[in-house]
mmCIF file of all heavy atoms in Angstrom:
data_model
loop_
_atom_site.group_PDB
_atom_site.id
_atom_site.type_symbol
_atom_site.label_atom_id
_atom_site.label_comp_id
_atom_site.label_asym_id
_atom_site.label_seq_id
_atom_site.Cartn_x
_atom_site.Cartn_y
_atom_site.Cartn_z
ATOM 1 N N ARG A 59 7.792 15.359 4.687
ATOM 2 C CA ARG A 59 7.152 16.398 5.513
ATOM 3 C C ARG A 59 5.794 15.962 6.029
ATOM 4 O O ARG A 59 5.386 16.268 7.120
ATOM 5 C CB ARG A 59 7.018 17.696 4.720
ATOM 6 C CG ARG A 59 8.284 18.537 4.710
ATOM 7 C CD ARG A 59 8.022 19.931 4.186
ATOM 8 N NE ARG A 59 7.528 19.972 2.816
ATOM 9 C CZ ARG A 59 8.276 19.901 1.731
ATOM 10 N NH1 ARG A 59 9.566 19.793 1.841
ATOM 11 N NH2 ARG A 59 7.737 19.980 0.538
ATOM 12 N N ARG A 60 5.043 15.227 5.169
ATOM 13 C CA ARG A 60 3.710 14.765 5.577
ATOM 14 C C ARG A 60 3.748 13.597 6.537
ATOM 15 O O ARG A 60 2.770 13.354 7.254
ATOM 16 C CB ARG A 60 2.911 14.375 4.327
ATOM 17 C CG ARG A 60 2.626 15.549 3.404
ATOM 18 C CD ARG A 60 1.873 15.101 2.183
ATOM 19 N NE ARG A 60 1.840 16.160 1.168
ATOM 20 C CZ ARG A 60 1.445 15.980 -0.066
ATOM 21 N NH1 ARG A 60 1.044 14.792 -0.475
ATOM 22 N NH2 ARG A 60 1.449 16.969 -0.917
ATOM 23 N N ILE A 61 4.874 12.870 6.551
ATOM 24 C CA ILE A 61 5.037 11.716 7.444
ATOM 25 C C ILE A 61 6.356 11.933 8.192
ATOM 26 O O ILE A 61 7.371 11.263 7.937
ATOM 27 C CB ILE A 61 5.088 10.397 6.656
ATOM 28 C CG1 ILE A 61 3.971 10.305 5.589
ATOM 29 C CG2 ILE A 61 5.023 9.193 7.596
ATOM 30 C CD1 ILE A 61 4.147 9.152 4.620
ATOM 31 N N PRO A 62 6.413 12.856 9.121
ATOM 32 C CA PRO A 62 7.687 13.269 9.725
ATOM 33 C C PRO A 62 8.425 12.166 10.486
ATOM 34 O O PRO A 62 9.647 12.213 10.551
ATOM 35 C CB PRO A 62 7.294 14.429 10.665
ATOM 36 C CG PRO A 62 5.843 14.408 10.758
ATOM 37 C CD PRO A 62 5.272 13.626 9.620
ATOM 38 N N ALA A 63 7.763 11.163 11.005
ATOM 39 C CA ALA A 63 8.450 10.139 11.813
ATOM 40 C C ALA A 63 9.086 9.056 10.971
ATOM 41 O O ALA A 63 9.872 8.249 11.496
ATOM 42 C CB ALA A 63 7.469 9.530 12.822
ATOM 43 N N ILE A 64 8.820 9.024 9.680
ATOM 44 C CA ILE A 64 9.377 7.952 8.815
ATOM 45 C C ILE A 64 10.833 8.283 8.451
ATOM 46 O O ILE A 64 11.147 9.430 8.206
ATOM 47 C CB ILE A 64 8.495 7.742 7.557
ATOM 48 C CG1 ILE A 64 8.813 6.430 6.862
ATOM 49 C CG2 ILE A 64 8.615 8.929 6.615
ATOM 50 C CD1 ILE A 64 7.832 6.060 5.753
ATOM 51 N N SER A 65 11.654 7.260 8.424
ATOM 52 C CA SER A 65 13.047 7.464 8.004
ATOM 53 C C SER A 65 13.128 7.493 6.484
ATOM 54 O O SER A 65 12.261 6.963 5.788
ATOM 55 C CB SER A 65 13.951 6.348 8.555
ATOM 56 O OG SER A 65 13.696 5.137 7.889
ATOM 57 N N ASP A 66 14.166 8.121 5.967
ATOM 58 C CA ASP A 66 14.383 8.156 4.525
ATOM 59 C C ASP A 66 14.451 6.763 3.946
ATOM 60 O O ASP A 66 13.887 6.463 2.895
ATOM 61 C CB ASP A 66 15.686 8.894 4.185
ATOM 62 C CG ASP A 66 15.626 10.386 4.396
ATOM 63 O OD1 ASP A 66 14.554 10.900 4.803
ATOM 64 O OD2 ASP A 66 16.639 11.051 4.155
ATOM 65 N N ARG A 67 15.155 5.860 4.658
ATOM 66 C CA ARG A 67 15.339 4.517 4.148
ATOM 67 C C ARG A 67 14.017 3.755 4.042
ATOM 68 O O ARG A 67 13.727 3.092 3.047
ATOM 69 C CB ARG A 67 16.300 3.742 5.034
ATOM 70 C CG ARG A 67 16.525 2.338 4.551
ATOM 71 C CD ARG A 67 17.503 1.563 5.353
ATOM 72 N NE ARG A 67 17.566 0.219 4.845
ATOM 73 C CZ ARG A 67 18.454 -0.648 5.194
ATOM 74 N NH1 ARG A 67 19.382 -0.308 6.041
ATOM 75 N NH2 ARG A 67 18.419 -1.865 4.726
ATOM 76 N N VAL A 68 13.193 3.840 5.106
ATOM 77 C CA VAL A 68 11.931 3.125 5.080
ATOM 78 C C VAL A 68 11.014 3.700 4.019
ATOM 79 O O VAL A 68 10.372 2.955 3.262
ATOM 80 C CB VAL A 68 11.224 3.147 6.452
ATOM 81 C CG1 VAL A 68 9.808 2.615 6.399
ATOM 82 C CG2 VAL A 68 12.060 2.363 7.475
ATOM 83 N N LEU A 69 10.969 5.021 3.887
ATOM 84 C CA LEU A 69 10.116 5.637 2.850
ATOM 85 C C LEU A 69 10.599 5.188 1.467
ATOM 86 O O LEU A 69 9.788 4.771 0.632
ATOM 87 C CB LEU A 69 10.167 7.158 2.956
ATOM 88 C CG LEU A 69 9.381 7.910 1.885
ATOM 89 C CD1 LEU A 69 7.921 7.492 1.856
ATOM 90 C CD2 LEU A 69 9.507 9.426 2.119
ATOM 91 N N ASN A 70 11.899 5.223 1.238
ATOM 92 C CA ASN A 70 12.446 4.785 -0.035
ATOM 93 C C ASN A 70 12.096 3.309 -0.298
ATOM 94 O O ASN A 70 11.678 2.965 -1.423
ATOM 95 C CB ASN A 70 13.941 5.012 -0.069
ATOM 96 C CG ASN A 70 14.514 4.743 -1.450
ATOM 97 O OD1 ASN A 70 14.139 5.368 -2.420
ATOM 98 N ND2 ASN A 70 15.439 3.785 -1.522
ATOM 99 N N ASP A 71 12.257 2.466 0.697
ATOM 100 C CA ASP A 71 11.953 1.041 0.544
ATOM 101 C C ASP A 71 10.493 0.813 0.176
ATOM 102 O O ASP A 71 10.163 0.012 -0.689
ATOM 103 C CB ASP A 71 12.277 0.264 1.830
ATOM 104 C CG ASP A 71 13.765 0.115 2.078
ATOM 105 O OD1 ASP A 71 14.587 0.444 1.198
ATOM 106 O OD2 ASP A 71 14.122 -0.328 3.205
ATOM 107 N N ARG A 72 9.575 1.530 0.876
ATOM 108 C CA ARG A 72 8.142 1.361 0.569
ATOM 109 C C ARG A 72 7.838 1.826 -0.856
ATOM 110 O O ARG A 72 7.115 1.181 -1.583
ATOM 111 C CB ARG A 72 7.274 2.150 1.557
ATOM 112 C CG ARG A 72 7.220 1.625 2.990
ATOM 113 C CD ARG A 72 6.704 0.224 3.171
ATOM 114 N NE ARG A 72 7.689 -0.795 2.963
ATOM 115 C CZ ARG A 72 8.633 -1.211 3.846
ATOM 116 N NH1 ARG A 72 8.662 -0.700 5.024
ATOM 117 N NH2 ARG A 72 9.488 -2.151 3.530
ATOM 118 N N LEU A 73 8.400 2.977 -1.245
ATOM 119 C CA LEU A 73 8.130 3.514 -2.577
ATOM 120 C C LEU A 73 8.645 2.568 -3.673
ATOM 121 O O LEU A 73 7.953 2.340 -4.678
ATOM 122 C CB LEU A 73 8.722 4.904 -2.722
ATOM 123 C CG LEU A 73 8.026 5.965 -1.885
ATOM 124 C CD1 LEU A 73 8.847 7.269 -1.872
ATOM 125 C CD2 LEU A 73 6.605 6.220 -2.350
ATOM 126 N N ILE A 74 9.822 1.998 -3.471
ATOM 127 C CA ILE A 74 10.367 1.050 -4.438
ATOM 128 C C ILE A 74 9.480 -0.198 -4.488
ATOM 129 O O ILE A 74 9.139 -0.672 -5.572
ATOM 130 C CB ILE A 74 11.818 0.664 -4.079
ATOM 131 C CG1 ILE A 74 12.746 1.843 -4.341
ATOM 132 C CG2 ILE A 74 12.268 -0.566 -4.833
ATOM 133 C CD1 ILE A 74 14.151 1.651 -3.803
ATOM 134 N N GLU A 75 9.104 -0.704 -3.345
ATOM 135 C CA GLU A 75 8.247 -1.883 -3.272
ATOM 136 C C GLU A 75 6.899 -1.632 -3.974
ATOM 137 O O GLU A 75 6.460 -2.451 -4.777
ATOM 138 C CB GLU A 75 8.005 -2.261 -1.819
ATOM 139 C CG GLU A 75 7.113 -3.434 -1.601
ATOM 140 C CD GLU A 75 6.902 -3.721 -0.123
ATOM 141 O OE1 GLU A 75 7.096 -2.845 0.722
ATOM 142 O OE2 GLU A 75 6.505 -4.861 0.166
ATOM 143 N N PHE A 76 6.289 -0.485 -3.694
ATOM 144 C CA PHE A 76 4.991 -0.164 -4.312
ATOM 145 C C PHE A 76 5.142 -0.010 -5.825
ATOM 146 O O PHE A 76 4.239 -0.371 -6.580
ATOM 147 C CB PHE A 76 4.410 1.094 -3.682
ATOM 148 C CG PHE A 76 4.039 0.931 -2.236
ATOM 149 C CD1 PHE A 76 4.031 2.057 -1.413
ATOM 150 C CD2 PHE A 76 3.728 -0.290 -1.674
ATOM 151 C CE1 PHE A 76 3.703 1.935 -0.072
ATOM 152 C CE2 PHE A 76 3.406 -0.430 -0.343
ATOM 153 C CZ PHE A 76 3.397 0.695 0.476
ATOM 154 N N ALA A 77 6.240 0.568 -6.272
ATOM 155 C CA ALA A 77 6.481 0.712 -7.714
ATOM 156 C C ALA A 77 6.613 -0.674 -8.353
ATOM 157 O O ALA A 77 6.047 -0.931 -9.431
ATOM 158 C CB ALA A 77 7.693 1.570 -7.976
ATOM 159 N N GLU A 78 7.349 -1.580 -7.697
ATOM 160 C CA GLU A 78 7.503 -2.941 -8.230
ATOM 161 C C GLU A 78 6.190 -3.685 -8.288
ATOM 162 O O GLU A 78 5.967 -4.505 -9.169
ATOM 163 C CB GLU A 78 8.526 -3.710 -7.381
ATOM 164 C CG GLU A 78 9.953 -3.236 -7.571
ATOM 165 C CD GLU A 78 10.937 -3.838 -6.600
ATOM 166 O OE1 GLU A 78 10.507 -4.567 -5.639
ATOM 167 O OE2 GLU A 78 12.140 -3.616 -6.771
ATOM 168 N N LEU A 79 5.279 -3.389 -7.352
ATOM 169 C CA LEU A 79 3.976 -4.036 -7.322
ATOM 170 C C LEU A 79 2.969 -3.367 -8.270
ATOM 171 O O LEU A 79 1.845 -3.837 -8.404
ATOM 172 C CB LEU A 79 3.419 -4.025 -5.894
ATOM 173 C CG LEU A 79 4.134 -4.918 -4.909
ATOM 174 C CD1 LEU A 79 3.648 -4.631 -3.489
ATOM 175 C CD2 LEU A 79 3.925 -6.384 -5.252
#
Side-chain angles (χ1 to χ4, degrees):
R59 277 193 300 277
R60 295 177 192 170
I61 314 168
I64 195 170
S65 71
D66 287 0
R67 180 178 176 169
V68 171
L69 178 57
N70 188 59
D71 289 351
R72 290 300 83 82
L73 291 169
I74 289 170
E75 178 181 21
F76 295 153
E78 289 172 352
L79 291 170

